[in-house]
Coordinates of all heavy atoms in Angstrom, one line a residue:
M269 N 14.0 -12.8 42.9 CA 12.6 -13.3 42.7 C 11.6 -12.5 43.7 O 12.0 -12.2 44.8 CB 12.5 -14.8 42.9 CG 11.0 -15.4 42.8 SD 11.0 -17.1 43.0 CE 11.4 -17.5 41.4
I270 N 10.5 -12.1 43.3 CA 9.6 -11.4 44.0 C 8.5 -12.3 44.6 O 8.0 -13.1 43.8 CB 8.9 -10.2 43.2 CG1 9.9 -9.3 42.7 CG2 7.9 -9.6 44.0 CD1 9.5 -8.2 41.8
Y271 N 8.4 -12.4 45.8 CA 7.3 -13.2 46.5 C 6.2 -12.4 46.9 O 6.2 -11.2 47.1 CB 7.9 -14.0 47.6 CG 8.9 -14.9 47.3 CD1 10.3 -14.6 47.5 CD2 8.7 -16.2 46.8 CE1 11.3 -15.5 47.1 CE2 9.7 -17.1 46.3 CZ 10.9 -16.7 46.6 OH 11.9 -17.6 46.2
G272 N 4.9 -12.9 47.1 CA 3.9 -12.1 47.6 C 2.8 -11.9 46.7 O 2.2 -12.8 46.1
K273 N 2.4 -10.6 46.4 CA 1.2 -10.4 45.5 C 1.4 -10.9 44.2 O 2.3 -10.7 43.4 CB 1.2 -8.8 45.5 CG 0.0 -8.3 44.9 CD 0.0 -6.8 44.9 CE -1.1 -6.3 44.0 NZ -0.5 -5.4 42.9
K274 N 0.3 -11.6 43.7 CA 0.2 -12.2 42.4 C -0.3 -11.0 41.6 O -1.0 -10.2 41.8 CB -0.8 -13.3 42.4 CG -0.4 -14.6 43.1 CD -1.4 -15.6 43.3 CE -1.9 -16.2 41.9 NZ -2.9 -17.2 42.0
P275 N 0.2 -11.0 40.2 CA -0.4 -10.1 39.3 C -1.8 -10.3 39.1 O -2.3 -11.3 39.0 CB 0.5 -10.4 38.0 CG 1.0 -11.7 38.2 CD 1.1 -12.0 39.6
C276 N -2.4 -9.1 38.9 CA -4.0 -9.2 38.7 C -4.3 -9.3 37.2 O -4.1 -8.3 36.4 CB -4.6 -7.9 39.2 SG -6.3 -7.9 39.1
V277 N -4.6 -10.4 36.8 CA -5.1 -10.5 35.5 C -6.5 -10.1 35.2 O -7.2 -10.1 36.2 CB -4.9 -12.0 34.9 CG1 -3.5 -12.4 34.9 CG2 -5.7 -13.0 35.7
R278 N -6.9 -9.6 34.1 CA -8.2 -9.1 33.7 C -8.5 -7.8 34.5 O -9.6 -7.4 34.6 CB -9.4 -10.1 34.2 CG -9.1 -11.5 33.8 CD -9.2 -11.7 32.2 NE -9.2 -13.0 31.9 CZ -8.1 -13.7 31.5 NH1 -7.0 -13.0 31.4 NH2 -8.0 -15.0 31.2
C279 N -7.4 -7.1 35.0 CA -7.6 -5.9 35.7 C -7.0 -4.8 34.8 O -5.9 -4.9 34.2 CB -6.9 -5.8 37.0 SG -7.7 -6.8 38.2
L280 N -7.7 -3.6 34.9 CA -7.0 -2.4 34.4 C -6.0 -1.8 35.5 O -6.0 -2.3 36.6 CB -8.1 -1.5 33.8 CG -8.9 -2.0 32.7 CD1 -10.0 -1.0 32.3 CD2 -8.0 -2.4 31.5
L281 N -5.4 -0.7 35.2 CA -4.3 -0.3 36.2 C -4.9 0.1 37.5 O -4.3 -0.3 38.5 CB -3.7 1.0 35.4 CG -2.7 0.7 34.4 CD1 -2.3 1.9 33.7 CD2 -1.5 -0.2 34.8
E282 N -6.0 0.9 37.6 CA -6.5 1.3 38.9 C -7.0 0.1 39.7 O -6.7 0.1 40.8 CB -7.7 2.4 38.7 CG -7.8 3.1 40.0 CD -8.6 4.4 39.7 OE1 -8.2 5.1 38.7 OE2 -9.6 4.6 40.4
E283 N -7.7 -0.8 39.0 CA -8.2 -2.0 39.7 C -7.1 -2.9 40.2 O -7.3 -3.7 41.1 CB -9.1 -2.8 38.8 CG -10.3 -2.0 38.1 CD -10.7 -2.5 36.8 OE1 -10.0 -3.4 36.3 OE2 -11.8 -2.0 36.3
A284 N -5.9 -2.7 39.6 CA -4.8 -3.7 39.9 C -3.9 -3.0 41.0 O -3.0 -3.5 41.5 CB -3.9 -3.9 38.7
G285 N -4.5 -1.8 41.4 CA -3.8 -1.2 42.6 C -2.6 -0.3 42.1 O -1.6 -0.1 42.9
R286 N -2.5 -0.1 40.9 CA -1.4 0.8 40.2 C -1.8 2.2 40.0 O -1.6 2.8 38.9 CB -1.0 0.1 38.9 CG -0.7 -1.4 38.9 CD 0.7 -1.7 39.3 NE 1.7 -1.1 38.6 CZ 2.3 -1.4 37.4 NH1 1.8 -2.4 36.8 NH2 3.2 -0.6 36.9
Q287 N -2.1 2.9 41.1 CA -2.7 4.3 41.0 C -1.7 5.2 40.6 O -2.1 6.1 39.6 CB -3.3 4.7 42.4 CG -4.6 4.3 42.7 CD -4.7 2.8 43.3 OE1 -3.6 2.3 43.5 NE2 -5.9 2.3 43.5
D288 N -0.4 4.9 40.8 CA 0.5 5.8 40.3 C 0.7 5.9 38.7 O 0.7 6.9 38.2 CB 1.9 5.5 41.0 CG 2.5 4.0 40.8 OD1 1.4 3.2 40.6 OD2 3.5 3.7 40.9
V289 N 0.8 4.6 38.3 CA 0.8 4.5 36.7 C -0.5 4.9 36.2 O -0.5 5.6 35.1 CB 1.2 3.1 36.5 CG1 1.3 3.0 34.8 CG2 2.5 2.7 37.0
S290 N -1.6 4.6 36.9 CA -2.9 5.0 36.4 C -3.0 6.4 36.2 O -3.6 6.9 35.1 CB -4.0 4.4 37.3 OG -5.3 4.8 36.8
Q291 N -2.6 7.2 37.1 CA -2.6 8.7 36.9 C -1.8 9.2 35.7 O -2.3 10.1 35.0 CB -2.1 9.4 38.2 CG -2.9 9.1 39.5 CD -4.4 9.6 39.4 OE1 -4.7 10.7 38.8 NE2 -5.4 8.9 39.7
S292 N -0.6 8.6 35.6 CA 0.2 9.0 34.4 C -0.5 8.7 33.0 O -0.3 9.5 32.2 CB 1.5 8.3 34.4 OG 2.3 8.8 35.6
V293 N -1.0 7.5 33.1 CA -1.8 7.1 31.9 C -3.0 8.0 31.5 O -3.2 8.4 30.3 CB -2.1 5.6 32.0 CG1 -3.1 5.2 30.8 CG2 -0.9 4.7 31.9
K294 N -3.7 8.3 32.5 CA -4.9 9.3 32.4 C -4.4 10.5 31.9 O -5.0 11.2 31.0 CB -5.7 9.3 33.7 CG -6.6 8.1 33.9 CD -7.3 8.2 35.2 CE -8.1 7.0 35.5 NZ -8.6 6.9 36.8
A295 N -3.3 11.1 32.4 CA -2.8 12.4 32.0 C -2.3 12.2 30.5 O -2.5 13.3 29.7 CB -1.6 12.7 32.8
A296 N -1.7 11.1 30.1 CA -1.4 10.9 28.7 C -2.5 10.9 27.8 O -2.6 11.5 26.7 CB -0.5 9.8 28.7
V297 N -3.6 10.2 28.3 CA -4.8 10.1 27.4 C -5.5 11.5 27.3 O -5.9 11.9 26.2 CB -5.8 9.2 28.1 CG1 -7.2 9.3 27.5 CG2 -5.4 7.7 28.1
D298 N -5.4 12.3 28.3 CA -6.1 13.7 28.3 C -5.3 14.6 27.2 O -5.9 15.5 26.7 CB -5.9 14.4 29.7 CG -7.0 13.7 30.7 OD1 -7.9 13.0 30.2 OD2 -6.9 13.9 31.9
K299 N -4.0 14.3 27.1 CA -3.2 15.0 26.1 C -3.5 14.7 24.6 O -3.0 15.5 23.8 CB -1.7 14.9 26.4 CG -1.3 15.6 27.6 CD 0.2 15.6 27.8 CE 0.6 16.1 29.2 NZ 1.9 15.8 29.6
I300 N -4.1 13.5 24.4 CA -4.5 13.2 23.0 C -5.6 14.2 22.4 O -6.5 14.5 23.1 CB -4.9 11.8 23.0 CG1 -4.0 10.8 23.4 CG2 -5.4 11.5 21.5 CD1 -4.5 9.3 23.7
P301 N -5.2 14.9 21.3 CA -6.2 15.7 20.7 C -7.6 15.1 20.5 O -7.5 13.8 20.1 CB -5.5 16.2 19.6 CG -4.1 15.8 19.6 CD -4.0 14.7 20.6
D302 N -8.6 15.8 20.7 CA -10.0 15.2 20.5 C -10.1 14.6 19.2 O -10.8 13.5 19.0 CB -11.0 16.3 20.7 CG -11.3 16.5 22.1 OD1 -10.7 15.9 23.1 OD2 -11.9 17.6 22.5
S303 N -9.5 15.1 18.1 CA -9.6 14.6 16.9 C -9.0 13.2 16.6 O -9.3 12.5 15.7 CB -9.0 15.6 15.8 OG -7.6 15.7 16.0
Q304 N -8.1 12.9 17.5 CA -7.4 11.7 17.3 C -7.8 10.6 18.5 O -7.3 9.5 18.5 CB -5.9 11.8 17.6 CG -5.2 12.7 16.5 CD -3.8 13.1 16.8 OE1 -3.1 12.4 17.6 NE2 -3.4 14.2 16.3
K305 N -8.8 11.0 19.3 CA -9.1 10.3 20.5 C -10.4 9.4 20.1 O -11.2 9.8 19.4 CB -9.6 11.3 21.7 CG -9.4 10.6 23.0 CD -9.8 11.6 24.1 CE -8.7 12.4 24.5 NZ -8.9 13.3 25.6
T306 N -10.3 8.1 20.6 CA -11.4 7.2 20.5 C -12.6 7.7 21.2 O -12.6 8.3 22.3 CB -11.0 5.8 21.1 OG1 -9.7 5.4 20.6 CG2 -12.0 4.7 20.8
G307 N -13.8 7.5 20.5 CA -15.0 7.8 21.2 C -15.2 7.0 22.5 O -14.8 6.0 22.6
E308 N -16.0 7.7 23.3 CA -16.2 7.2 24.7 C -16.7 5.7 24.7 O -16.2 4.8 25.4 CB -17.1 7.9 25.6 CG -17.0 7.7 27.1 CD -17.8 8.8 27.9 OE1 -17.8 9.9 27.5 OE2 -18.5 8.4 28.8
M309 N -17.8 5.5 23.9 CA -18.4 4.0 23.8 C -17.4 3.2 23.3 O -17.3 2.0 23.6 CB -19.7 4.1 23.0 CG -20.9 4.7 23.8 SD -22.4 4.7 22.9 CE -22.7 3.0 22.6
E310 N -16.8 3.5 22.1 CA -15.8 2.6 21.6 C -14.5 2.3 22.5 O -14.1 1.2 22.6 CB -15.3 3.2 20.3 CG -14.1 2.5 19.6 CD -14.5 1.1 19.0 OE1 -15.7 0.9 18.9 OE2 -13.7 0.2 18.9
Y311 N -14.2 3.3 23.2 CA -13.1 3.2 24.3 C -13.5 2.1 25.3 O -12.7 1.2 25.5 CB -12.8 4.5 24.9 CG -11.7 4.5 25.9 CD1 -10.3 4.2 25.4 CD2 -11.8 4.9 27.2 CE1 -9.3 4.2 26.3 CE2 -10.7 4.9 28.1 CZ -9.5 4.5 27.6 OH -8.4 4.6 28.5
E312 N -14.8 2.3 25.9 CA -15.2 1.2 26.8 C -15.3 -0.1 26.2 O -14.9 -1.1 26.9 CB -16.5 1.7 27.4 CG -16.4 3.0 28.3 CD -15.4 2.7 29.5 OE1 -15.3 1.6 30.0 OE2 -14.6 3.7 29.7
K313 N -15.7 -0.2 24.9 CA -15.9 -1.5 24.3 C -14.5 -2.2 24.2 O -14.3 -3.4 24.4 CB -16.5 -1.4 22.9 CG -16.8 -2.5 22.2 CD -17.6 -2.2 21.0 CE -17.2 -3.1 19.8 NZ -17.6 -2.7 18.5
R314 N -13.5 -1.4 23.7 CA -12.2 -1.9 23.7 C -11.7 -2.4 25.0 O -11.0 -3.6 25.0 CB -11.2 -0.8 23.1 CG -11.5 -0.4 21.6 CD -10.5 0.7 21.2 NE -10.7 1.0 19.9 CZ -10.0 1.8 19.2 NH1 -8.9 2.4 19.7 NH2 -10.2 2.0 17.9
L315 N -11.9 -1.6 26.0 CA -11.3 -2.1 27.3 C -12.0 -3.3 27.9 O -11.4 -4.2 28.5 CB -11.4 -0.9 28.3 CG -10.5 0.4 28.0 CD1 -10.7 1.4 29.1 CD2 -9.1 -0.1 27.9
E316 N -13.3 -3.4 27.6 CA -14.0 -4.6 28.0 C -13.4 -5.9 27.3 O -13.2 -6.9 27.8 CB -15.6 -4.6 27.6 CG -16.3 -3.8 28.7 CD -16.1 -4.3 30.0 OE1 -16.2 -5.5 30.4 OE2 -15.7 -3.5 30.9
I317 N -13.1 -5.8 25.9 CA -12.5 -6.8 25.3 C -11.1 -7.2 25.8 O -10.8 -8.3 26.2 CB -12.3 -6.5 23.8 CG1 -13.6 -6.4 23.2 CG2 -11.4 -7.4 23.0 CD1 -13.7 -5.8 21.7
C318 N -10.3 -6.2 26.3 CA -9.0 -6.4 26.9 C -9.2 -7.2 28.2 O -8.4 -8.0 28.5 CB -8.2 -5.2 27.2 SG -7.6 -4.4 25.7
R319 N -10.3 -6.7 29.0 CA -10.5 -7.3 30.3 C -10.7 -8.9 30.2 O -10.5 -9.6 31.1 CB -11.7 -6.7 30.9 CG -11.4 -5.6 31.7 CD -12.7 -5.1 32.5 NE -12.4 -4.0 33.4 CZ -12.9 -2.7 33.1 NH1 -13.6 -2.5 32.0 NH2 -12.6 -1.7 33.9
E320 N -11.2 -9.3 29.0 CA -11.6 -10.7 28.8 C -10.4 -11.4 28.1 O -10.5 -12.6 27.9 CB -12.8 -10.9 27.9 CG -14.1 -10.2 28.5 CD -14.5 -10.9 29.8 OE1 -14.4 -12.2 29.9 OE2 -14.8 -10.2 30.7
C321 N -9.4 -10.7 27.9 CA -8.2 -11.2 27.0 C -7.2 -11.9 28.0 O -6.8 -11.4 28.9 CB -7.6 -10.1 26.3 SG -6.1 -10.7 25.2
E322 N -6.7 -13.1 27.4 CA -5.7 -13.8 28.1 C -4.4 -13.1 28.2 O -3.4 -13.6 29.0 CB -5.5 -15.3 27.5 CG -4.9 -15.3 26.1 CD -6.0 -15.3 25.0 OE1 -7.0 -14.5 25.2 OE2 -5.8 -15.8 23.9
F323 N -4.1 -12.0 27.4 CA -2.8 -11.4 27.4 C -2.9 -10.2 28.3 O -1.8 -9.4 28.4 CB -2.5 -11.1 26.0 CG -2.3 -12.3 25.1 CD1 -3.2 -12.6 24.1 CD2 -1.3 -13.1 25.4 CE1 -3.0 -13.7 23.4 CE2 -1.1 -14.3 24.6 CZ -2.0 -14.6 23.6
L324 N -3.9 -9.9 29.0 CA -3.9 -8.7 29.9 C -3.4 -9.0 31.3 O -3.9 -10.1 31.9 CB -5.3 -8.1 30.0 CG -5.4 -6.8 30.9 CD1 -4.8 -5.7 30.2 CD2 -6.9 -6.6 31.3
T325 N -2.4 -8.3 31.8 CA -1.9 -8.5 33.2 C -1.6 -7.1 33.7 O -0.9 -6.3 33.2 CB -0.5 -9.3 33.1 OG1 -0.9 -10.6 32.6 CG2 -0.1 -9.5 34.6
E326 N -2.3 -6.8 34.8 CA -2.2 -5.5 35.5 C -2.2 -4.3 34.5 O -1.4 -3.4 34.5 CB -0.9 -5.5 36.3 CG -0.9 -6.4 37.5 CD 0.3 -6.2 38.4 OE1 1.3 -5.6 38.0 OE2 0.1 -6.6 39.6
G327 N -3.2 -4.3 33.7 CA -3.4 -3.3 32.7 C -2.4 -3.2 31.6 O -2.4 -2.3 30.7
T328 N -1.5 -4.2 31.4 CA -0.6 -4.2 30.4 C -0.7 -5.4 29.4 O -1.2 -6.5 29.9 CB 0.8 -4.5 31.0 OG1 1.2 -3.4 31.8 CG2 1.9 -4.4 29.9
C329 N -0.8 -5.1 28.1 CA -1.0 -6.0 27.1 C 0.4 -6.8 26.9 O 1.4 -6.1 26.5 CB -1.4 -5.4 25.8 SG -1.3 -6.6 24.3
L330 N 0.4 -8.0 27.1 CA 1.6 -8.9 27.0 C 2.0 -9.0 25.5 O 3.0 -9.6 25.3 CB 1.4 -10.2 27.7 CG 1.3 -10.1 29.2 CD1 1.2 -11.4 29.8 CD2 2.3 -9.2 29.9
K331 N 1.1 -8.7 24.6 CA 1.4 -8.9 23.2 C 2.3 -7.7 22.6 O 3.0 -7.8 21.7 CB 0.2 -9.0 22.4 CG -0.4 -10.4 22.3 CD 0.5 -11.4 21.5 CE 0.1 -12.8 21.6 NZ 1.1 -13.7 21.0
C332 N 2.1 -6.6 23.3 CA 2.8 -5.4 22.7 C 3.5 -4.6 23.8 O 4.3 -3.7 23.6 CB 1.9 -4.4 22.1 SG 0.6 -3.8 23.0
G333 N 3.2 -4.8 25.1 CA 3.8 -4.2 26.3 C 3.2 -2.8 26.6 O 3.6 -2.0 27.4
C334 N 2.2 -2.4 25.9 CA 1.4 -1.2 26.1 C 0.5 -1.4 27.2 O -0.1 -2.3 27.7 CB 0.7 -0.8 24.9 SG 1.5 -0.4 23.4
Y335 N 0.3 -0.2 28.0 CA -0.9 0.0 28.8 C -2.2 0.2 28.0 O -2.2 1.1 27.2 CB -0.7 1.3 29.7 CG 0.5 1.2 30.7 CD1 1.5 2.2 30.6 CD2 0.5 0.1 31.6 CE1 2.6 1.9 31.5 CE2 1.6 0.0 32.5 CZ 2.6 1.0 32.4 OH 3.6 0.9 33.3
V336 N -3.1 -0.8 28.1 CA -4.1 -0.9 27.2 C -5.1 0.4 27.2 O -5.6 0.8 26.2 CB -5.0 -2.2 27.3 CG1 -4.2 -3.4 27.0 CG2 -5.7 -2.1 28.8
E337 N -5.1 1.0 28.5 CA -5.9 2.2 28.5 C -5.4 3.4 27.8 O -6.2 4.3 27.3 CB -5.9 2.7 30.1 CG -6.9 1.7 30.9 CD -6.5 1.7 32.3 OE1 -5.6 0.9 32.6 OE2 -7.2 2.3 33.1
L338 N -4.1 3.3 27.5 CA -3.5 4.3 26.6 C -3.6 3.9 25.1 O -4.1 4.7 24.2 CB -2.0 4.6 27.0 CG -1.4 5.7 26.2 CD1 -2.0 7.0 26.2 CD2 0.1 5.9 26.8
R339 N -3.4 2.7 24.9 CA -3.3 2.2 23.5 C -4.8 2.3 22.8 O -5.0 2.7 21.7 CB -2.9 0.8 23.4 CG -2.7 0.2 22.0 CD -2.3 -1.1 21.9 NE -2.1 -1.6 20.5 CZ -0.9 -1.5 19.8 NH1 0.2 -1.2 20.5 NH2 -0.8 -1.9 18.6
A340 N -5.8 2.0 23.7 CA -7.2 2.0 23.2 C -7.6 3.4 23.0 O -8.6 3.6 22.3 CB -8.1 1.3 24.2
A341 N -7.0 4.4 23.5 CA -7.5 5.8 23.5 C -7.3 6.5 22.3 O -7.9 7.5 21.9 CB -6.9 6.5 24.7
R342 N -6.5 5.8 21.3 CA -6.2 6.5 20.0 C -7.1 5.8 19.0 O -6.9 4.5 18.9 CB -4.7 6.4 19.6 CG -3.9 7.4 20.4 CD -2.4 7.4 19.8 NE -1.7 8.4 20.4 CZ -1.7 9.7 20.1 NH1 -2.5 10.0 19.1 NH2 -0.9 10.6 20.7
K343 N -7.9 6.6 18.3 CA -8.9 5.9 17.5 C -8.2 5.1 16.3 O -8.8 4.1 15.8 CB -9.9 6.9 16.9 CG -9.5 8.0 16.0 CD -10.6 8.8 15.6 CE -10.2 9.9 14.8 NZ -11.4 10.9 14.5
D344 N -7.1 5.5 16.0 CA -6.4 4.8 14.8 C -5.4 3.6 15.3 O -4.8 3.0 14.5 CB -5.5 5.7 13.9 CG -4.4 6.4 14.8 OD1 -4.4 6.3 16.0 OD2 -3.6 7.0 14.0
S345 N -5.5 3.4 16.7 CA -4.7 2.3 17.1 C -5.6 1.0 17.1 O -6.8 1.0 17.0 CB -4.5 2.6 18.7 OG -3.6 1.7 19.2
R346 N -4.9 -0.1 17.0 CA -5.4 -1.4 16.9 C -4.9 -2.4 17.9 O -3.7 -2.3 18.4 CB -5.3 -2.0 15.5 CG -5.8 -1.2 14.4 CD -7.4 -1.5 14.4 NE -8.1 -0.6 13.4 CZ -8.6 0.6 13.7 NH1 -8.6 1.0 14.9 NH2 -9.2 1.2 12.8
C347 N -5.6 -3.4 18.4 CA -5.2 -4.4 19.2 C -4.1 -5.2 18.3 O -4.2 -5.5 17.2 CB -6.2 -5.4 19.4 SG -5.8 -7.1 20.0
P348 N -3.0 -5.5 18.9 CA -1.8 -6.1 18.2 C -2.0 -7.6 18.0 O -1.2 -8.2 17.2 CB -0.6 -5.9 19.2 CG -1.2 -5.9 20.6 CD -2.6 -5.3 20.3
Y349 N -3.0 -8.2 18.6 CA -3.1 -9.6 18.5 C -4.5 -10.0 17.7 O -5.6 -9.8 18.3 CB -3.2 -10.3 19.8 CG -3.3 -11.8 19.8 CD1 -2.1 -12.5 19.3 CD2 -4.5 -12.4 20.3 CE1 -2.4 -14.0 19.3 CE2 -4.5 -13.8 20.2 CZ -3.5 -14.5 19.7 OH -3.6 -15.8 19.7
K350 N -4.4 -10.5 16.5 CA -5.5 -10.9 15.7 C -6.6 -9.9 15.7 O -7.8 -10.1 15.6 CB -6.1 -12.3 16.1 CG -5.1 -13.4 16.0 CD -5.7 -14.7 16.5 CE -4.7 -15.7 16.4 NZ -5.2 -17.0 16.7
T351 N -6.3 -8.6 15.9 CA -7.2 -7.4 15.8 C -8.5 -7.7 16.6 O -9.6 -7.8 16.0 CB -7.5 -7.0 14.4 OG1 -6.2 -7.0 13.7 CG2 -8.1 -5.7 14.4
K352 N -8.4 -8.0 17.9 CA -9.6 -8.2 18.7 C -10.3 -6.8 18.7 O -11.6 -7.0 18.9 CB -9.1 -8.6 20.1 CG -8.6 -10.0 20.2 CD -8.4 -10.4 21.6 CE -8.0 -11.9 21.7 NZ -8.1 -12.4 23.0
W353 N -9.9 -5.8 18.6 CA -10.5 -4.5 18.3 C -9.7 -3.5 17.4 O -8.6 -3.8 17.1 CB -10.9 -3.8 19.7 CG -9.7 -3.6 20.6 CD1 -9.6 -4.3 21.8 CD2 -8.7 -2.5 20.6 NE1 -8.4 -3.9 22.4 CE2 -7.8 -2.8 21.7 CE3 -8.3 -1.6 19.8 CZ2 -6.8 -2.1 22.1 CZ3 -7.2 -0.8 20.0 CH2 -6.4 -1.1 21.2
Ligands
LIG297 S1 -4.8 -5.1 23.1 FE1 -5.5 -7.0 22.2 S2 -4.0 -8.6 22.9 FE2 -3.6 -6.7 24.2 S3 -4.9 -7.3 26.1 FE3 -6.1 -6.0 24.6 S4 -7.3 -7.6 23.5 FE4 -5.6 -8.6 24.4

């Protein structure tokens, strides 16, 4: 059992102190071809919805196990739970 730091709910990776994973996710997002990438405004809108979601914990969606910053970056991707976005 792990004691100490509580998971940061409502946080994306960098805000949760997960800089190592955050860098990897940003690198993966950068590799998505522009034609498949979500527009900047839509991307921010999706992440704001995730920040308010009860299933977000330390940047991970508990409904699908994805890092939301990566999942939201593909324009054809959808929220796995009742299509919040
Ligand atoms: S992808 Fe959907 S279910 Fe997952 S954290 Fe974001 S809003 Fe919530």
